Amino acid sequence: EVQLLESGGGLVQPGGSLRLSCAASGFTFISNAMSWVRQAPGRGLEWVSGISGSGDSTYYADSVKGRFTISRDNSKNTLYLQMNSLRAEDAAVYYCAKVPSEAWNDAPRAFDSWGQGTLVTVSS
Amino acid sequence: DIVMTQSPDSLAVSLGERATINCKSSQSVLHSSNNNNYFAWYQQKPGQSPKLLINWASTRESGVPDRFSGSGSGTDFTLTISSLQAEDVAVYYCQQYYSTPRTFGQGTKVEI
C-alpha cells in the first residue's frame, strides 16, 4: 500500500524558513516523479513544485520560484521542500503527491496518491 | 499557463439524482501524438486529502464506483455522478497535466 507521510510544518515568521519532508513507502520511490501541492485555508489546490524520479529535473510555480527548493533522497525514500523567505500567502496545507511515471515532462501523469498534508502557518 | 475554469462553483443534488460538473481549459489538453487528453478529476472529502478519481479524461481509477464518469476532449470536460450518494459530498477539482505548471480548477462543492 502506498503511503506518503508529510512532516515539518509549523508556525514561522514572515521571512523565515522551513523544510518539509515526505516519507514514502509501498512503492519503488526512484521510479516515480513527485510533487508538492498546497491548499490555503478554505481555498483550492495550487501546484507548487515537481521533481523527476532521479531528481535531475525540477519544476516550480512562478509564485515560489527562487524561494522554494524541491529535492529528494532516493536512498531514504524521502521528498523535501525547502521553503525560504516565507510570506503570509504561503500559509497552507502542503501535500506531497506521487506521479506514476519516472519522468515529469516526457510522460506526464495525474497525481495518483496523496499524503495527509502538513500545515504551514506564516505569521508574526 | 493553462487556466482551468469549473462550473458551477457549487451545486445541491438530491440523493439518487444526477450531478454534472463542467471544466473548461484555456487551451487544448489533447496531445495529437497519442490522442490522449491530459486531464484528471479529483475528489476531496471534508477533512481529507484529494483523491484521484479519473485520468485521461474518462478512465476511472481502480476502486472508483462506476456512478462516476468523465467525458469530453480538447478544452471541454464533464464529470457526471449518475446517482448521488451521501458519501459523494465533496469538493471536486479538475486538473490538466498537459504542461507545467500543472493547474487545477477552482473546485466545485457538491452537497445534498
Side-chain angles (χ1 to χ4, degrees), chain B:
Chain B
D1 298 1
I2 299 177
V3 177
M4 309 297 286
T5 304
Q6 292 181 228
S7 61
D9 289 334
S10 65
L11 75 161
V13 178
S14 300
L15 288 173
E17 295 300 303
R18 178 184 299 260
T20 301
I21 301 169
N22 299 300
C23 181
K24 190 175 186 68
S25 58
S26 61
Q27 63 188 77
S28 176
V29 298
L30 174 64
H31 208 294
S32 56
S33 66
N34 55 20
N35 211 37
N36 284 336
N37 286 286
Y38 286 67
F39 181 91
W41 288 102
Y42 298 86
Q43 175 193 62
Q44 186 176 33
K45 294 183 178 180
Q48 295 186 16
S49 55
K51 171 189 173 184
L52 177 62
L53 286 181
I54 288 171
N55 59 10
W56 307 117
S58 60
T59 302
R60 271 190 306 274
E61 281 288 279
S62 174
V64 173
D66 60 8
R67 63 179 179 273
F68 291 92
S69 64
S71 62
S73 183
T75 61
D76 292 277
F77 300 89
T78 300
L79 175 68
T80 301
I81 310 172
S82 60
S83 176
L84 193 78
Q85 304 300 302
E87 60 265 32
D88 301 335
V89 167
V91 179
Y92 294 83
Y93 294 93
C94 61
Q95 184 219 11
Q96 64 80 20
Y97 47 99
Y98 182 89
S99 66
T100 300
R102 307 293 192 247
T103 46
F104 294 89
Q106 79 276 18
T108 294
K109 187 174 185 178
V110 174
E111 301 172 301
I112 304 293

Side-chain angles (χ1 to χ4, degrees), chain A residues 65-80:
Chain A
K65 201 172 293 183
R67 300 187 298 123
F68 289 12
T69 301
I70 190 172
S71 64
R72 62 194 295 160
D73 186 335
N74 287 338
S75 69
K76 296 182 178 179
N77 288 355
T78 303
L79 174 72
Y80 302 101

Side-chain angles (χ1 to χ4, degrees), chain A residues 9-13 18 86-88 90-92 119-123:
Chain A
L11 174 64
V12 61
Q13 292 185 339
L18 214 53
L86 282 160
R87 307 166 179 167
D90 295 319
L119 177 64
V120 172
T121 304
V122 183
S123 176

Side-chain angles (χ1 to χ4, degrees), chain A residues 1-6 22-37 47 49-51 53 72 79 95-104 107-116, chain B residues 42 50 52 55 61 95 97 102 104:
Chain A
E1 179 194 1
V2 172
Q3 290 197 358
L4 299 170
L5 186 62
E6 301 95 335
C22 172
S25 61
F27 63 100
T28 305
F29 187 62
I30 196 172
S31 296
N32 293 91
M34 298 292 294
S35 186
W36 289 99
V37 178
W47 175 78
S49 184
I51 187 169
R72 62 194 295 160
L79 174 72
Y95 297 101
C96 68
K98 170 180 165 286
V99 180
S101 68
E102 192 280 338
W104 180 265
R109 297 287 187 273
F111 303 142
D112 67 347
S113 294
W114 298 61
Q116 87 292 342
Chain B
Y42 298 86
L52 177 62
N55 59 10
E61 281 288 279
Q95 184 219 11
Y97 47 99
R102 307 293 192 247
F104 294 89

Side-chain angles (χ1 to χ4, degrees), chain A residues 36-56:
Chain A
W36 289 99
V37 178
R38 69 186 180 184
Q39 186 170 35
R43 305 297 295 273
L45 301 172
E46 180 189 13
W47 175 78
V48 172
S49 184
I51 187 169
S52 62
S54 66
D56 290 347

